[in-house]
Each structure stands twice: as structure tokens, then as C-alpha cells.
């Protein structure tokens, strides 16, 4: 690991100043520090934000919740209002890592974690050095993307938490030296296109301060389901966060493990809003969403797996 400077500012403004010019924010460090040890990341300055006054879950004026960026994953998953009003989010966080990691990992850091593609960690690729290719396309890719990928990159996004937040139309709030801003989570992760190294839409030097979850009639009837290769601890092969409210005619579906970013299943949602929410419609909606899938030779199984997850979870949510 290369030498780096370390600072622990007392407030957000000082943190922004400390990071100006290329410093990296350090939350729980559960991903960043590993990447530093592996030589993937080599920041010259770490700005420790864990003690900034950004932790906690509070009520929002619209009936939703505001989650501070340094709230730990454990505290988020255990919060009684998160469990009651957004159960899929609590389930997603609990499915995301071991208890030890959840005690360290923060909400802001979870959103910024990087792909677990083995090639990304082991050698240069387009995500690390543009123009160097994507070895996974011709190599080992059984757990890679089936939706929205390009010849530039076929890696998937690892976060479970972000999948559930996407289903609930979460908004990321941040601060820069020029003032505050916010980005809907659906726009937070750009399409991979030919710039896989550009992983978020955050402005340079921005510090995530919170995530806002709008009030929702459908979120209390939601569920997160994750298929993974090890029951104890593994990233998603395919996951789903879904909510269903028959009275309001509302449905939310987001998928994980299928694309370079959490994937909002807008096609399936639109299909279901056209007619009654029946078991037959659930299957047809899944097929409509996955018609755009482009599996590689080694990951075609994900198409059927994702379809089965959509159908099964929606059936479970239907009274």
C-alpha cells in the first residue's frame, strides 16, 4: 500500500476543503481499504468522514425518511421505521454482508462501492484504465451483466442496498464547495456506455450527506430477495426489490446483479399498470422486461433466474 495523508475534519465544510484536489472520503473503508491493499486505489489523502454529524434516520416533510450518509448499515437495517415502512430496504441491507461489515459500512460508502468483477481487481481493464479492454467478455463471466452492458464493460454493480433504494425512488443529497445538490438514484449511476470508469454522476469532490426516501403507499408492502452462490455471504447472482399495492394499482421492481448499475424494471412496471395484477401478468411482465437481455455464453441462466424471481416475489406480495 502506498503512503497517504490522513485527515479527520470536524465538519462538512472542512471535509470538502480537505478533499479538494483529489482526496478520497473514508467512511467504513470496507471496500476502499481493500482496493488500496490490492493496488487498485492509491489515494494520496484520505479524509475520514465517520465523525461528521451525518448519522441517523429522520422524518421527511413528505412522509418519507432521510438517512444520513454516515449511518451504519447495521443501524439502518435495524431502524424500526425503516423496517416498518421500507421492509425491502432493511432486508436488502441484511442480505448485503456479514454483521461485522455492516457495523462498519456506511450508507454513503455503500452507494460508492465498486464492482467485484475479478478482472477489475486483478488486472487493468476499461473500468480502471480506459482503452485497455474488458477481459470478462471473452473470459469468465458467469456472474456478469445481462442488461445494459456494452463491449466496454460487462461488470455488475455489487450493492444490495441501492437496489431497494432505487425501487423507492431515493434521492442522493450531497455537498460541494459550491453548495448543496441532489441526484435521483435512478440517475446517480450513468449507463456504462463507453465510459465504464465514470461510475457515478457526483460532481468532482462532492460529499454524499444523505439519502432521501419519499413517502410511499407501496413501500410497506415490499420485499427483497437475493439469489447468491453462498448462503453465508456473497454478492448477488440476481436480486430483486419489489413492492405491490393492489388498491393503489402501484408496483415497483428493481433488480440487482444484472447490470452495471441497479436496474429499475420500468418495462415490467408499465406492463403491469396496463391491466389486473394477476399471476399470469407477472410472468408476462418479467418476459417483457427481459426481452432486452443480451446474455453472454456463460450467463444465460440469469435471464430465466431473473424472470422467475420477478414472478415469484410478485406472487408472494399479492394478497
Amino acid at each position: 500500500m502506498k503512503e497517504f495523508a490522513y485527515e479527520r475534519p470536524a465538519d462538512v465544510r472542512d471535509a470538502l476543503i480537505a478533499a479538494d484536489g483529489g482526496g478520497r472520503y473514508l467512511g467504513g473503508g470496507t471496500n476502499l481499504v481493500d482496493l488500496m491493499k490490492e493496488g487498485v486505489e492509491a489515494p494520496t489523502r484520505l479524509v475520514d468522514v465517520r465523525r461528521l454529524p451525518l448519522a441517523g434516520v429522520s422524518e421527511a416533510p413528505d412522509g418519507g425518511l432521510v438517512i444520513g450518509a454516515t449511518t451504519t448499515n447495521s443501524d439502518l437495517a435495524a431502524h424500526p421505521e425503516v423496517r416498518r415502512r421500507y421492509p425491502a430496504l432493511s432486508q436488502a441491507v441484511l442480505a448485503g454482508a456479514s454483521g461485522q461489515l455492516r457495523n462498519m459500512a456506511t450508507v454513503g460508502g455503500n452507494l460508492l462501492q465498486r464492482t467485484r468483477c475479478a478482472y477489475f481487481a486483478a488486472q487493468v481493464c476499461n473500468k480502471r484504465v480506459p482503452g485497455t479492454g474488458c477481459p470478462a467478455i471473452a473470459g469468465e463471466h458467469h456472474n456478469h451483466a445481462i442488461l445494459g452492458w456494452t463491449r466496454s464493460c460487462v461488470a455488475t454493480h455489487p450493492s444490495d442496498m441501492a437496489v431497494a433504494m432505487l425501487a423507492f425512488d431515493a434521492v442522493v443529497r450531497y455537498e460541494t464547495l459550491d453548495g448543496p445538490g441532489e441526484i435521483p438514484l435512478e440517475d446517480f449511476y450513468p449507463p456504462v456506455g463507453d465510459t465504464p470508469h465514470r461510475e457515478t454522476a457526483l460532481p468532482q469532490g462532492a460529499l454524499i450527506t444523505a439519502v432521501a426516501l419519499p413517502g410511499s403507499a407501496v413501500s410497506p408492502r415490499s420485499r427483497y430477495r437475493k439469489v447468491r452462490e453462498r448462503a453465508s455471504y456473497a454478492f448477488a447472482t440476481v436480486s430483486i426489490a419489489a413492492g405491490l399495492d393492489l388498491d393503489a394499482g402501484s408496483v415497483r421492481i428493481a433488480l440487482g446483479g444484472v447490470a452495471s448499475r441497479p436496474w429499475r424494471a420500468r418495462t415490467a412496471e408499465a406492463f403491469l399498470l396496463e391491466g389486473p395484477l394477476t399471476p399470469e401478468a407477472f410472468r408476462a411482465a418479467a418476459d417483457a422486461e427481459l426481452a432486452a437481455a443480451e446474455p453472454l455464453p456463460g450467463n444465460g441462466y440469469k435471464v430465466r433466474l431473473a424472470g422467475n424471481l420477478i414472478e415469484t416475489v410478485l406472487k408472494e406480495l399479492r394478497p
Side-chain angles (χ1 to χ4, degrees), residues 89-127:
L89 176 57
S90 178
Q91 294 161 10
V93 173
L94 291 173
S98 66
Q100 292 91 336
L101 287 172
R102 290 196 298 272
N103 288 339
M104 289 295 295
T106 63
V107 168
N110 191 308
L111 294 177
L112 296 176
Q113 61 179 307
R114 307 193 72 184
T115 183
R116 275 17 181 230
C117 172
Y119 294 104
F120 171 75
Q123 63 188 83
V124 295
C125 67
N126 283 332
K127 194 174 272 296

Side-chain angles (χ1 to χ4, degrees), residues 235-261:
F235 295 94
T237 301
V238 178
S239 66
I240 178 173
L244 188 64
D245 187 327
L246 289 176
D247 294 335
S250 179
V251 60
R252 306 284 184 88
I253 306 169
L255 301 173
V258 298
S260 65
R261 54 182 178 163

Side-chain angles (χ1 to χ4, degrees), residues 70-272:
T70 59
T71 306
T72 66
N73 286 190
S74 290
D75 287 345
L76 174 63
H79 194 281
E81 289 304 307
V82 174
R83 296 178 64 183
R84 184 176 71 84
R85 290 147 66 176
Y86 304 90
L89 176 57
S90 178
Q91 294 161 10
V93 173
L94 291 173
S98 66
Q100 292 91 336
L101 287 172
R102 290 196 298 272
N103 288 339
M104 289 295 295
T106 63
V107 168
N110 191 308
L111 294 177
L112 296 176
Q113 61 179 307
R114 307 193 72 184
T115 183
R116 275 17 181 230
C117 172
Y119 294 104
F120 171 75
Q123 63 188 83
V124 295
C125 67
N126 283 332
K127 194 174 272 296
R128 291 175 58 180
V129 181
T132 56
C134 176
I137 292 175
E140 169 54 47
H141 53 245
H142 83 281
N143 206 17
H144 285 61
I146 58 172
L147 289 165
W149 63 277
T150 70
R151 302 301 296 181
S152 293
C153 183
V154 72
T156 56
H157 194 274
S159 175
D160 295 284
M161 183 191 78
V163 176
M165 287 183 167
L166 178 64
F168 301 136
D169 295 329
V171 175
V172 179
R173 296 178 178 175
Y174 62 85
E175 286 279 350
T176 71
L177 288 172
D178 295 325
E182 58 182 38
I183 310 172
L185 191 59
E186 190 157 14
D187 300 326
F188 185 78
Y189 302 105
V192 64
D194 59 359
T195 56
H197 58 287
R198 183 173 177 265
E199 296 178 345
T200 77
L202 276 177
Q204 184 72 30
L207 172 65
I208 295 175
T209 54
V211 177
L213 292 174
S216 166
V218 72
S219 64
R221 287 195 50 79
S222 64
R223 182 167 298 181
Y224 187 77
R225 182 70 54 80
K226 176 179 182 179
V227 176
R228 49 189 164 183
E229 295 182 346
R230 293 178 299 169
S232 58
Y233 173 62
F235 295 94
T237 301
V238 178
S239 66
I240 178 173
L244 188 64
D245 187 327
L246 289 176
D247 294 335
S250 179
V251 60
R252 306 284 184 88
I253 306 169
L255 301 173
V258 298
S260 65
R261 54 182 178 163
W263 187 268
R264 186 69 179 266
R266 293 287 189 187
T267 301
E269 291 179 358
F271 182 94
L272 292 170

